[in-house]
Amino acid sequence: HVQLVESGGGSVQAGGSLRRSCAATGFTFSSFCMAWFRQAPGKEREGVAAITSVGRTRYADSVKGRFTISKDNAKNTMYLQMDSLKPEDTAMYYCAAWSSPCDIGPGSTTWAGYWGQGTQVTVS
Protein backbone atom coordinates (compact mmCIF):
# COMPACT_ATOMS: atom_id res chain seq x y z
CA HIS A 1 0.00 0.00 0.00
CA VAL A 2 1.67 3.21 -1.23
CA GLN A 3 1.47 6.26 0.97
CA LEU A 4 3.03 9.70 0.75
CA VAL A 5 2.45 11.63 3.95
CA GLU A 6 3.32 15.30 3.97
CA SER A 7 4.06 17.60 6.86
CA GLY A 8 5.49 21.03 7.49
CA GLY A 9 3.14 23.42 5.71
CA GLY A 10 1.78 26.57 7.24
CA SER A 11 1.83 30.34 7.10
CA VAL A 12 4.82 32.61 7.04
CA GLN A 13 5.64 36.22 6.27
CA ALA A 14 7.37 37.17 3.07
CA GLY A 15 11.09 36.53 3.31
CA GLY A 16 10.60 33.70 5.77
CA SER A 17 11.30 29.99 5.49
CA LEU A 18 9.43 26.71 5.72
CA ARG A 19 10.53 23.09 5.47
CA ARG A 20 8.27 20.46 3.99
CA SER A 21 8.64 16.72 4.47
CA CYS A 22 7.18 13.80 2.55
CA ALA A 23 7.41 10.35 4.14
CA ALA A 24 6.98 7.45 1.74
CA THR A 25 5.92 3.84 2.29
CA GLY A 26 4.94 0.95 0.06
CA PHE A 27 7.48 1.26 -2.74
CA THR A 28 11.24 1.31 -3.29
CA PHE A 29 11.81 4.95 -2.39
CA SER A 30 15.47 5.04 -3.43
CA SER A 31 14.64 3.96 -6.98
CA PHE A 32 11.93 6.48 -7.70
CA CYS A 33 11.83 10.04 -8.96
CA MET A 34 10.46 12.22 -6.17
CA ALA A 35 9.07 15.69 -6.73
CA TRP A 36 7.11 18.62 -5.34
CA PHE A 37 4.26 20.28 -7.18
CA ARG A 38 2.07 23.20 -6.24
CA GLN A 39 -1.28 24.56 -7.27
CA ALA A 40 -2.51 28.08 -6.60
CA PRO A 41 -6.22 28.96 -6.80
CA GLY A 42 -7.34 29.23 -10.40
CA LYS A 43 -4.05 27.95 -11.75
CA GLU A 44 -2.83 24.62 -13.06
CA ARG A 45 -0.68 22.37 -10.95
CA GLU A 46 2.98 23.02 -11.69
CA GLY A 47 6.22 21.30 -10.92
CA VAL A 48 8.43 22.96 -8.33
CA ALA A 49 11.40 20.62 -7.88
CA ALA A 50 12.39 17.02 -8.52
CA ILE A 51 15.15 14.72 -7.33
CA THR A 52 16.22 11.64 -9.24
CA SER A 53 17.01 8.23 -7.81
CA VAL A 54 20.70 9.16 -7.80
CA GLY A 55 20.15 12.58 -6.28
CA ARG A 56 20.22 14.92 -9.27
CA THR A 57 17.92 17.87 -8.81
CA ARG A 58 15.75 19.98 -11.05
CA TYR A 59 13.98 23.22 -10.22
CA ALA A 60 11.37 25.47 -11.73
CA ASP A 61 12.89 28.81 -12.71
CA SER A 62 10.59 30.59 -10.26
CA VAL A 63 12.17 28.86 -7.25
CA LYS A 64 15.80 28.41 -8.30
CA GLY A 65 18.15 29.73 -5.66
CA ARG A 66 15.40 29.86 -3.02
CA PHE A 67 14.14 26.27 -2.69
CA THR A 68 16.22 23.15 -2.05
CA ILE A 69 14.97 19.60 -2.59
CA SER A 70 16.68 16.71 -0.83
CA LYS A 71 15.97 13.18 0.31
CA ASP A 72 17.10 10.67 2.91
CA ASN A 73 16.87 7.15 1.49
CA ALA A 74 17.45 5.61 4.93
CA LYS A 75 14.33 7.39 6.21
CA ASN A 76 12.30 7.11 2.98
CA THR A 77 11.69 10.84 3.27
CA MET A 78 11.97 13.77 0.89
CA TYR A 79 12.30 17.39 1.93
CA LEU A 80 11.73 20.82 0.47
CA GLN A 81 13.50 23.71 2.15
CA MET A 82 11.80 26.92 1.10
CA ASP A 83 13.67 30.15 1.81
CA SER A 84 13.07 33.78 0.85
CA LEU A 85 9.41 32.98 0.41
CA LYS A 86 7.25 35.33 -1.64
CA PRO A 87 3.48 35.85 -1.68
CA GLU A 88 3.40 34.25 -5.13
CA ASP A 89 4.63 31.00 -3.53
CA THR A 90 1.24 30.69 -1.82
CA ALA A 91 -0.35 27.42 -2.98
CA MET A 92 -1.24 23.88 -2.06
CA TYR A 93 1.95 21.86 -2.21
CA TYR A 94 1.96 18.18 -3.09
CA CYS A 95 4.67 15.58 -3.09
CA ALA A 96 4.68 12.98 -5.84
CA ALA A 97 6.54 9.85 -6.89
CA TRP A 98 7.00 7.96 -10.12
CA SER A 99 9.64 5.91 -11.91
CA SER A 100 10.60 7.96 -14.97
CA PRO A 101 11.22 10.34 -16.64
CA CYS A 102 12.30 12.50 -13.73
CA ASP A 103 11.46 16.03 -14.73
CA ILE A 104 8.97 18.73 -13.85
CA GLY A 105 8.33 20.18 -17.26
CA PRO A 106 5.03 20.25 -19.16
CA GLY A 107 3.19 16.99 -18.79
CA SER A 108 4.96 15.97 -15.62
CA THR A 109 1.71 15.87 -13.65
CA THR A 110 0.60 13.01 -15.89
CA TRP A 111 3.74 11.03 -15.08
CA ALA A 112 3.25 11.12 -11.32
CA GLY A 113 1.80 7.82 -10.17
CA TYR A 114 1.55 8.57 -6.47
CA TRP A 115 0.52 11.79 -4.72
CA GLY A 116 0.59 13.09 -1.19
CA GLN A 117 -2.46 14.65 0.43
CA GLY A 118 -1.30 18.22 -0.14
CA THR A 119 -0.61 20.94 2.41
CA GLN A 120 -1.33 24.64 2.21
CA VAL A 121 1.55 27.10 2.24
CA THR A 122 0.54 30.74 2.70
CA VAL A 123 2.99 33.62 2.40
CA SER A 124 1.75 37.06 3.37
Side-chain angles (χ1 to χ4, degrees), residues 39-73:
Q39 188 166 19
K43 295 188 176 181
E44 291 188 354
R45 192 169 296 189
E46 62 176 1
V48 174
I51 186 165
T52 72
S53 60
V54 295
R56 295 191 181 98
T57 57
R58 292 164 173 78
Y59 295 94
D61 288 343
S62 58
V63 306
K64 278 180 183 175
R66 300 188 299 120
F67 289 12
T68 304
I69 188 171
S70 61
K71 65 174 181 171
D72 185 334
N73 288 335

Side-chain angles (χ1 to χ4, degrees), residues 77-92:
T77 302
M78 172 179 64
Y79 306 97
L80 184 67
Q81 178 67 39
M82 302 184 289
D83 298 320
S84 302
L85 281 160
K86 304 176 181 179
E88 50 264 44
D89 295 317
T90 295
M92 283 289 288

Side-chain angles (χ1 to χ4, degrees), residues 1-118:
H1 176 59
V2 173
Q3 275 195 305
L4 297 175
V5 179
E6 302 172 33
S7 60
S11 299
V12 67
Q13 291 190 331
S17 298
L18 284 173
R19 189 184 193 221
R20 307 289 325 284
S21 297
C22 174
T25 57
F27 63 98
T28 308
F29 177 83
S30 60
S31 299
F32 270 55
C33 173
M34 298 295 298
W36 293 96
F37 290 80
R38 67 185 181 186
Q39 188 166 19
K43 295 188 176 181
E44 291 188 354
R45 192 169 296 189
E46 62 176 1
V48 174
I51 186 165
T52 72
S53 60
V54 295
R56 295 191 181 98
T57 57
R58 292 164 173 78
Y59 295 94
D61 288 343
S62 58
V63 306
K64 278 180 183 175
R66 300 188 299 120
F67 289 12
T68 304
I69 188 171
S70 61
K71 65 174 181 171
D72 185 334
N73 288 335
K75 295 182 178 180
N76 285 1
T77 302
M78 172 179 64
Y79 306 97
L80 184 67
Q81 178 67 39
M82 302 184 289
D83 298 320
S84 302
L85 281 160
K86 304 176 181 179
E88 50 264 44
D89 295 317
T90 295
M92 283 289 288
Y93 282 71
Y94 301 87
C95 66
W98 67 95
S99 56
S100 64
C102 195
D103 204 346
I104 50 170
S108 54
T109 53
T110 63
W111 303 332
Y114 307 119
W115 290 95
Q117 80 275 16

